[in-house]
Amino acid sequence: MQRKVPLAPGQSARCCRCGAQLYHAPKDTLDRTLAFSLAAFILFSVANLFPILELSIQGKHTEATLLGAVLELQKQGMGMMAGLVLFTTIVVPAMELLGLLYVLLPLKLNKKPPGQAAVFRLIQVLRPWGMIEVLMLGILVSLVKLAHMATVQPGWSLWLFGGFIFVMAATAASLDSEEIWARFGRRCPVATQRNSGAGYLTCHACGMLSYAPAGKHEQHCPRCGSVLHVRKPNSVGRCWSLLIAAMILYVPANVLPVMSTSSIVGAQVDTIMSGVIYLWVSGSWPLALLVFFASVMVPLLKLMALTLLLVTVQTGSRWRPLDRTRLYRLTEKVGRWSMVDIFVVTMLVALVDVRPLAAVQAGPGAIAFSAVVVLTMVAAMSFDPRLIWDSVQENVHTR
């Protein structure tokens, strides 16, 4: 437990043990965040009305919008993959923006609509699943892949999504979650005076510290309503289950074809690795290295890192807890970038549909790889990094 101190605008407070940022104090947070949110909402809405890319080949012309790419995947029987792309590129960003406006506009007008706290909590839960920036990298790879066979032009949507990414980054930088929670009221813990035998519980959603009266089995956060726990329930067991499932699917994800291309000169199937080799041979070696790292190495390293964390936690190891905490943070942040190959397949499926000249079909490897990305992300979210420090505490928490 650490004492909260007031900060000057622009300063941040970090944990004295692991270095994690606890809270920060940006300048004019409410007005700036509201302005950025409105700008992002306009950019995102307009971007979904125009094509992202336009392709011309031997007199035939096609174009791809984001929603059109999702519908094309659905037509090919890739419902799960289509749902994942729809969720990460349209549903989550839209819900996050609408949620921010629902929270910030009433605060600016000194109003309190129902469910503000629940909406703000949902925004924080959804944020890791918004992947527009990963989509942009996938579009770049698609451009390189298509350059040899057709004329590809960026559409208005591509530039609008590029602007959207920068505005959303500014929104995240200016947003002070602690100030938003404080404006909801109820700053104090459940009990104004600690009772004998009571402990402390920290809310996983809003970070509020509450007293835990002795003998009370379940308690809710007084600020956001989340159920409070000493540690995430069954964190180790749930993380192991998801991790083992991801390990099993990692093999077919890299062996089975992620897409197949048919044209008047023949047919070709591509795995993730063959796509990396193509980029390397075509001269785009920086992009090849980036895709190799994001699509091959990141999932593998993430599986290894989570395995290491789980084993050391279960054995009660005191080995380098600070480094293991940093490893967990890195693992949690980089996993989403593995989705780049899924977005490459999505864009190629939508664009290259100029039968009988050429057509691209998504393959079973793409479904397996999508599952690996999702499972590893959920596994990382299920793991409780505070378990790393339990073995080095004088009072060990029971799991």
Side-chain angles (χ1 to χ4, degrees):
M1 185 172 65
Q2 300 175 69
R3 186 179 300 277
K4 184 178 179 180
V5 296
L7 299 176
Q11 290 184 326
S12 62
R14 295 186 174 274
C15 175
C16 61
R17 184 169 67 178
C18 70
Q21 180 174 291
L22 300 175
Y23 57 97
H24 67 302
K27 302 175 183 177
D28 302 323
T29 176
L30 183 59
D31 291 338
R32 286 200 303 164
T33 306
L34 179 57
F36 285 136
S37 299
L38 284 169
F41 180 76
I42 294 171
L43 285 170
F44 182 76
S45 301
V46 178
N48 280 283
L49 300 177
F50 295 97
I52 299 176
L53 294 174
E54 299 175 358
L55 179 142
S56 298
I57 177 172
Q58 296 185 11
K60 290 184 176 291
H61 177 82
T62 61
E63 57 185 31
T65 62
L66 188 51
L67 184 58
V70 172
L71 294 175
E72 188 61 34
L73 283 174
Q74 178 64 33
K75 288 180 184 178
Q76 294 189 5
M78 296 289 178
M80 188 185 80
M81 186 174 165
L84 180 61
V85 174
L86 177 68
F87 180 72
T88 55
T89 61
I90 297 179
V91 175
V92 170
M95 291 182 66
E96 183 178 354
L97 289 169
L98 290 172
L100 281 172
L101 294 176
Y102 183 80
V103 169
L104 297 176
L105 273 174
L107 287 178
K108 178 65 178 176
L109 301 173
N110 294 319
K111 304 290 184 180
K112 287 188 177 181
Q116 265 187 317
V119 171
F120 195 58
R121 185 178 67 197
L122 178 63
I123 292 171
Q124 295 176 316
V125 172
L126 291 176
R127 185 165 292 148
W129 296 98
M131 301 185 186
I132 293 293
E133 62 274 24
V134 187
L135 171 67
M136 293 296 287
L137 178 58
I139 293 172
L140 177 61
V141 176
S142 302
L143 284 169
V144 174
K145 282 179 171 287
L146 292 173
H148 76 288
M149 61 177 290
T151 301
V152 184
Q153 297 289 337
W156 280 103
S157 182
L158 184 63
W159 308 112
L160 291 169
F161 275 127
F164 170 78
I165 291 173
F166 285 105
V167 176
M168 281 302 290
T171 303
S174 63
L175 178 64
D176 185 359
S177 298
E178 183 59 30
E179 180 182 343
I180 301 301
W181 285 119
R183 284 174 177 264
F184 291 156
R186 305 170 83 173
R187 297 169 178 256
C188 301
V190 175
T192 56
Q193 185 176 7
R194 186 179 176 186
N195 300 321
S196 176
Y200 291 105
L201 293 174
T202 303
C203 178
H204 297 290
C206 71
M208 185 175 185
L209 185 68
S210 301
Y211 295 139
K216 191 171 182 179
H217 297 291
E218 186 174 288
Q219 183 175 329
H220 292 265
C221 175
R223 187 158 66 177
C224 71
S226 299
V227 178
L228 300 177
H229 306 284
V230 175
R231 293 292 180 266
K232 292 180 182 179
N234 196 26
S235 171
V236 172
R238 187 163 60 250
C239 189
W240 266 123
S241 300
L242 295 165
L243 188 61
I244 291 172
M247 289 178 178
I248 294 172
L249 288 170
Y250 182 77
V251 176
N254 285 274
V255 174
L256 295 176
V258 293
M259 67 178 183
S260 60
T261 306
S262 58
S263 65
I264 56 176
V265 296
Q268 178 184 340
V269 294
D270 284 302
T271 62
I272 292 175
M273 199 62 205
S274 68
V276 172
I277 294 172
Y278 174 81
L279 290 172
W280 184 278
V281 172
S282 64
S284 302
W285 61 267
L287 206 54
L289 291 175
L290 185 61
V291 173
F292 175 75
F293 180 75
S295 298
V296 179
M297 294 306 300
V298 166
L300 180 61
L301 293 174
K302 195 170 183 179
L303 293 173
M304 295 171 62
L306 288 173
T307 301
L308 173 66
L309 293 173
L310 287 168
V311 170
T312 53
V313 162
Q314 286 192 296
T315 57
S317 173
R318 297 187 179 186
W319 175 73
R320 304 174 75 112
L322 180 57
D323 290 335
R324 282 187 287 153
T325 303
R326 289 170 176 166
L327 176 64
Y328 169 74
R329 288 191 205 132
L330 180 63
T331 301
E332 190 178 34
K333 289 184 181 297
V334 302
R336 59 206 297 273
W337 288 94
S338 299
M339 279 289 291
V340 61
D341 257 311
I342 302 304
F343 293 136
V344 170
V345 174
T346 301
M347 295 311 302
L348 292 179
V349 163
L351 271 177
V352 187
D353 187 14
V354 284
R355 294 177 175 88
L357 295 177
V360 171
Q361 296 277 332
I367 297 178
F369 190 76
S370 301
V372 171
V373 176
V374 172
L375 288 170
T376 52
M377 286 184 66
V378 178
M381 294 173 184
S382 300
F383 182 78
D384 194 334
R386 294 175 299 181
L387 295 172
I388 297 172
W389 296 91
D390 282 351
S391 58
V392 297
Q393 296 285 344
E394 291 183 359
N395 299 320
V396 180
H397 295 284
T398 58
R399 295 192 296 275

